Amino acid sequence: MAAKSQPNIPKAKSLDSITNDRTASQGQWGRAWEVDWFSLGSIIFLLLCAPFIVYYFIMACDQYSCALTGPVVDIATGRARLSDIWAKTPPITRKAAQLYTLWVTFQVLLYTSLPDFCHKFLPGYVGGIQEGAVTPAGVVNKYQINGLQAWLLTHLLWFANAHLLSWFSPTIIFDNWIPLLWCANILGYAVSTFAMVKGYFFPTSARDCKFTGNFFYNYMMGVEFNPRIGKWFDFKLFFNGRPGIVAWTLINLSFAAKQRELHGHVTNAMVLVNVLQAIYVIDFFWNETWYLKTIDICHDHFGWYLGWGDCVWLPYLYTLQGLYLVYHPVQLSTPHAMGVLLLGLVGYYIFRVANHQKDLFRRTDGRCLIWGKKPKVIECSYMSADGQRHHSKLLVSGFWGVARHFNYVGDLMGSLAYCLACGGGHLLPYFYIIYMAILLTHRCLRDEHRCASKYGRDWERYTAAVPYRLLPGIF
Ligand code: NDP
């Protein structure tokens, strides 16, 4: 799970012919080596505009009660100038800088200094030291999986503060929301720039670096595959999960506290957004080991897209529903609330079961039951850059026989539920479902492009067996 604004993915050289013979696929199935003009244009557009998109949404809430057209109409009709809007925007403050530094330092400490103990007493939870997937260069990295522990300890402290210690107000995040945005941007750009320099001068695994010859593409999509400091500080695992995803539920709690402070009560819409998004976040940490096998960790290099995206895009744009509900305390009718809850839970069920089916299938090498039956399998092989041939299997049963990415459909249903919880007053809370639909459709195409170059004819056999990508009969 990552915060992303993704560019179109350029064609990799290896796709000129889709075969899985030795020369064509050897070490060529990672990200692209060449960049076309369209991709370059998209990348420059995103690098220039994404920070302003985030600013626009947050400013529209702060100054126009979440009316997305408000700033444009005011400027077009001469009621306000850009400089007026900017003058009303809170600047970075010493308090926000201290808070943010403390927050990130605390998460770094939880990540690096506290080996996982949750797996020792939570039945079914897989944590501690785990292995990632084989990289294109044939490396297998080890990870310290302790995200659930970090999430639990952080939230324990939050509730201890709210109910016992009173060190700070639970509205602290909302109250410093824009000053914190500047801090998040500083970290996002700093970490992306550091990762780029590191990739050139002191990479963790030089064989897994990719240089396209285009500065902007390298900066955005990353050079290094798995940058690390020391043995355990893995940039991708840390920035993808914490501080952004641990913060997600805290941000929502802070918005709920602000709603109560301003309006005297917490609405059922705010409760629904908090509960449904908390399920998604807890699921992410409960399944952090599974996450090592997802596209973010297995295939994407670490650049601005992940570094800045995880620091800024995710915490600010994935939480828009909660922010909106502070300004518009929507109270849903019981049938509306039940409908949203049902959609969110069914979406979560599909998302979880589909992901679990693939994970179980891969972990047991196909020796498992899917929907009570022995799974149908497509045997496939691919080559890593060191010339080694590896064997793998594609699942053709369960949700993976319905469509090639039915897990994304579950995710989209859950995303729609968060938005519908906000009623129909404004467009702003619906940004999330629009964004997720674009992200996951693009991701689906990008993944298939990569799988085709990795597995060649074996992938063609899979697409013949399961012809639709997302929705059977439609796409
Ligand atoms: P997937 O979990 O769908 O993984 C795709 C990979 O799985 C492929 O590259 C291939 O990898 C393998 N694969 C594909 N088809 C099969 C098959 N039939 N049988 C076995 N293996 C197969 O993709 P993501 O990593 O994108 O998504 C993981 C989850 O995270 C999704 O549910 C998605 O909705 C969610 N997500 C959420 C985001 C958010 O921002 N909220 C962002 C992105 C994802 P291999 O090379 O190993 O064969």
Side-chain angles (χ1 to χ4, degrees):
M1 179 183 321
K4 300 127 212 210
S5 34
Q6 302 183 32
N8 252 26
I9 297 308
K11 282 190 195 110
K13 261 183 185 171
S14 57
L15 286 188
D16 291 342
S17 63
I18 297 177
T19 66
N20 59 350
D21 67 82
R22 190 179 174 92
T23 30
S25 64
Q26 186 168 335
Q28 294 289 308
W29 44 272
R31 78 151 165 73
W33 294 94
E34 284 182 349
V35 189
D36 59 46
W37 284 104
F38 181 73
S39 302
L40 183 60
S42 315
I43 284 167
I44 293 174
F45 171 80
L46 283 169
L47 282 173
L48 291 176
C49 296
F52 291 102
I53 295 173
V54 179
Y55 168 73
Y56 189 87
F57 276 89
I58 305 304
M59 175 275 293
C61 280
D62 186 44
Q63 297 184 25
Y64 292 86
S65 291
C66 301
L68 269 184
T69 48
V72 178
V73 171
D74 263 13
I75 289 168
T77 55
R79 274 204 297 269
R81 284 169 304 164
L82 277 179
S83 55
D84 300 331
I85 291 178
W86 184 247
K88 279 197 255 166
T89 303
I92 191 166
T93 59
R94 180 189 286 267
K95 183 177 177 189
Q98 285 169 343
L99 263 178
Y100 197 74
T101 310
L102 195 69
W103 165 250
V104 177
T105 310
F106 181 54
Q107 290 307 317
V108 170
L109 285 176
L110 288 177
Y111 178 56
T112 53
S113 317
L114 213 54
D116 186 69
F117 59 80
C118 284
H119 71 280
K120 298 196 174 151
F121 65 89
L122 285 175
Y125 171 67
V126 183
I129 293 169
Q130 300 293 332
E131 283 188 350
V134 186
T135 71
V139 177
V140 177
N141 285 302
K142 283 196 164 59
Y143 295 84
Q144 173 64 255
I145 298 296
N146 59 1
L148 184 66
Q149 173 175 284
W151 187 88
L152 286 171
L153 289 174
T154 306
H155 284 70
L156 210 67
L157 269 177
W158 177 272
F159 284 109
N161 171 70
H163 297 290
L164 296 170
L165 305 168
S166 301
W167 287 338
F168 54 85
S169 161
T171 62
I172 192 168
I173 303 177
F174 177 90
D175 296 338
N176 292 280
W177 200 220
I178 294 184
L180 286 170
L181 173 63
W182 309 132
C183 304
N185 268 289
I186 292 171
L187 180 66
Y189 277 96
V191 80
S192 317
T193 308
F194 177 76
M196 172 94 164
V197 173
K198 183 173 171 335
Y200 274 96
F201 297 107
F202 48 104
T204 306
S205 166
R207 285 183 304 147
D208 264 320
C209 286
K210 277 200 174 175
F211 302 93
T212 56
N214 185 294
F215 173 82
F216 294 108
Y217 189 87
N218 288 346
Y219 185 70
M220 172 125 184
M221 297 307 285
V223 169
E224 264 202 272
F225 194 51
N226 289 303
R228 286 187 169 206
I229 292 180
K231 195 173 168 198
W232 293 111
F233 189 86
D234 184 88
F235 278 57
K236 263 202 252 176
L237 192 65
F238 178 77
F239 282 100
N240 259 321
R242 320 84 177 269
I245 300 184
V246 177
W248 190 347
T249 33
L250 290 186
I251 294 166
N252 279 344
L253 287 170
S254 185
F255 290 163
K258 193 68 192 180
Q259 195 189 54
R260 187 164 55 198
E261 184 186 288
L262 291 176
H263 307 284
H265 67 289
V266 177
T267 64
N268 61 359
M270 181 66 99
V271 173
L272 272 173
V273 167
N274 266 263
V275 169
L276 290 175
Q277 295 190 344
I279 293 174
Y280 195 73
V281 167
I282 295 168
D283 175 278
F284 173 83
F285 287 116
W286 183 271
N287 295 294
E288 203 178 10
T289 302
W290 152 81
Y291 181 67
L292 297 179
K293 305 285 161 68
T294 63
I295 294 174
D296 288 342
I297 299 278
C298 286
H299 311 311
D300 287 340
H301 289 236
F302 188 85
W304 181 89
Y305 151 80
L306 286 179
W308 179 87
D310 293 328
C311 290
V312 181
W313 189 269
L314 188 151
Y316 277 84
L317 295 189
Y318 284 28
T319 55
L320 277 179
Q321 289 84 26
L323 183 64
Y324 173 82
L325 292 170
V326 174
Y327 295 92
H328 300 269
V330 174
Q331 179 70 23
L332 301 171
S333 66
T334 307
H336 188 155
M338 294 309 285
V340 167
L341 183 64
L342 193 69
L343 179 68
L345 292 180
V346 172
Y348 172 70
Y349 173 81
I350 295 174
F351 163 83
R352 172 59 15 238
V353 172
N355 286 322
H356 174 71
Q357 285 176 343
K358 188 185 76 169
D359 185 43
L360 177 72
F361 171 78
R362 280 282 169 92
R363 265 191 293 118
T364 58
D365 198 26
R367 286 184 287 276
C368 59
L369 295 181
I370 303 288
W371 286 350
K373 288 193 207 137
K374 208 168 163 292
K376 285 193 211 145
V377 174
I378 288 183
E379 300 280 347
C380 45
S381 69
Y382 62 94
M383 195 85 76
S384 54
D386 55 10
Q388 288 241 5
R389 183 162 283 283
H390 304 266
H391 293 275
S392 190
K393 289 183 167 77
L394 292 168
L395 174 61
V396 194
S397 299
F399 283 123
W400 297 85
V402 176
R404 300 200 292 273
H405 270 102
F406 211 66
N407 52 345
Y408 291 178
V409 175
D411 209 346
L412 288 173
M413 288 168 69
S415 307
L416 182 62
Y418 313 154
C419 303
L420 290 172
C422 297
H426 280 277
L427 182 65
L428 181 133
Y430 287 83
F431 165 79
Y432 189 65
I433 181 64
I434 297 168
Y435 163 71
M436 284 297 281
I438 296 171
L439 170 82
L440 293 179
T441 308
H442 179 261
R443 197 175 175 93
C444 176
L445 298 174
R446 185 162 75 105
D447 185 50
E448 301 224 329
H449 191 79
R450 193 195 66 86
C451 287
S453 71
K454 179 174 177 181
Y455 296 124
R457 288 197 202 294
D458 296 333
W459 184 255
E460 287 176 2
R461 287 199 290 133
Y462 178 49
T463 57
V466 186
Y468 290 99
R469 293 184 174 102
L470 289 177
L471 288 174
I474 298 174
F475 177 65

